[in-house]
Amino acid sequence: MAIGAFDPAAWSGIVLSDRPGRGFAIRFAIERDGERADGYDFMHIVHEVGPHAPDGSYARISFDTYLPLGKGRDTPTVTKTGRVAGLKLEWSVVDRDTVVGRLDVSYSGTLELRGYFPWDWEGAWLMAPNPWETTSDADLVVISGVTSDGESSLSVKLRHSSNLKEPQPATTAVDQEGDAVVTLVVTRGDRVYFTASMSEDEPTTPLHSADGVAVDAALTSTHDSYDATRVRVQGPWEGLASSISNNLNWMVSIKPESGRRYTPAGRRWIFPRAGGGRDHWTTFCWDSFLNALELGIESHELARDTLLAVLETQYGNGNIPNWRGRFAGTPDRSQPPVGSFAVLKQYLRTGDRSLLETAFPYLERWSEWWRAPKGRGTRRDGNNGGLYQWGCDLELLGESPAPWENEASHHQMAAWESGQDDLPNWDDAHWVEETQTFDLDCVDLNSLLALDFDCLSLIASELGKEETAARYRGLYAELTARINGLLWDDVRGMYLDRLWNGDLSPRVAASNFYALLAGIAEPEQAARMLETLLDKRKFWGPYVIPTISRDDPAFNDQQYWRGSIWPPTNYLVYEGLRRYRFDEVAGELASRSVELFLRSWRDYQLCRENYDSRTGEGGGHTHQSWGPLFALIGIEEFIDVTPWEGLRIGSLTPPPKTSLENMVIRGTKYDVAISSGGIHVTVNGAETLRSDGPLVLRQAQLDSDVIVAETLSLEPVTLAVLSGGETVRVKCDGKATESPARQVRVPAGTHHVSISPRNT
């Protein structure tokens, strides 16, 4: 049974499905002063994208009904501070096949419930009395639905608590489209309760009859239960964790034919279908892999489903496409290869070996797809020079249901494969018809393919495939040597794109720093790259990181990837800074990313697609699923786990006193507080470790008996052990001492520390 707001066009609705390809949906619409909001209209009047438990046990969303309705992108953007939502919807899945809910009304007009069959599901709605219903309660409205095969039914009940002196009875009808329509005349202060159940035996409890007292109690209980256990951040970054889970959990949809949950790029990112209308789903490649990392903050199950959903879009030749829906896709091109990185990182968080076992064959075929023989080179190494270029397989092109694709040049299609659709770097590249690639060896693609080899080798080792791991290590070494030999410019201190005529590009994009994430640069090279990143004439500033250098002629375009700031770029560069232990700069990037995101989120409840590098104002789509990657960067300042650092805790440039609670990594719950005064770590409810200054721990092992970590601090710090016996044995860089005070003074810089009971 799947129950949730799974229809992308119906944020104000709920889908109930007892098996793939069959089920029902209900959604709410409103009319006020002659204006109407339904379906996607609610995307433009959202007041609060509220909490949403991963299992659907509690969900809340509200809307600004005082705004002009049905105006789409022309709807004014207003601050939410001091305003009251006109309609608040709360619901809870209370058992396997039933959802109950409540709507609080703060406007005068009509509220409409529509029962419908989404996608290609079929059935019929009945307005006759429910066969199980024996009460003559005048406040209760009952509608019923049955699937076309007659094997499943739905009972929907509404109870209207009206403040009108003379309440008007509900009107019910089945419209020309076959939808069940219940219309209520509402006013400020009204409440509407509902229940929808696919139970074979109609429950008779007050809760299942939309009794207000029972529903109120259920919603309070499920809210409190979720709120007590969810990941949360308190302090100046308050709401940081919830900004991720609220947004992402409200994005989750399903593939109706399989029941697989997935996360689109946004609820509006469902592409057209041949013959008209929308496809049943649209999955984007690198969006989905990065979305899984966001979902994994609270739910490994949702993260796993999203990873499998995108892996399952793979074509027979190994391509995981730029985008794919149920009826169409892009067999001609892929997108940035970050899949093995995302899968490996999620595995390290959870220890779910079955995820690696399932994902690895897909990831291997995708890796081979980039390198498959083609022409005089390989698929994306058109000149057989040992480096790779973005491209498009012309022989696989077909008529697309997305009209903009049929009108696009082959050059544009190759740019789409990069994920950075109009990056100025591509302005100087030529489309080569013979090789079906750019004539440009691209730093971003080559870095990410190197990262892919690196992660595939680590996954293979985890699975005990040592020969395979060695093969990928060899591919990684070979590619990194080519990158260092051909793309490094010692004069400019950066890796640069290289034209096939041997010229290095004058342009520097934020994605040129992906070489850090892939571990390609030697320490001296990485230090020089950092100088470029921190140069305010190029990339640094109040709002970072622009997708193209500030001194590039295209910077002031601030159009899409031409100078604006994008969540995936910031996230991947942040990961690279951490890999090279540039913790101070990583912390600054985290703070600026968090501030950029939270301002738009707190003031406007918007989750923006990108941001202007000059003003910090949000742009693009208003609810983009990878928008909270900015917030994920902030979460990782508290605690993270990566292939190169193990468990990492702490920040060198923390915000004022801020705490993260209820973060679970491999079954262990961590609470981490960070501030200029140090870190405080609690493990499974037991206070474990504290420092008196900012500190980063890597390769950390924390339990009640032993603490082992690599430490990094800018100043000497004292580590205090908060659990265990009175006296402990301390080793710092191999030198052992005993400490009756259960603490150790650690010098500035990097050190290896272990703290254990005296007799260990």
Side-chain angles (χ1 to χ4, degrees), residues 210-227:
D211 176 80
V213 174
V215 172
D216 286 343
L219 292 174
T220 297
S221 175
T222 54
H223 168 271
D224 291 349
S225 178
Y226 174 50
D227 192 58

Side-chain angles (χ1 to χ4, degrees), residues 322-341:
N322 176 178
W323 63 267
R324 192 170 185 179
R326 184 174 180 182
F327 303 108
T330 57
D332 58 288
R333 64 181 186 269
S334 187
Q335 264 198 327
V338 295
S340 58
F341 170 72

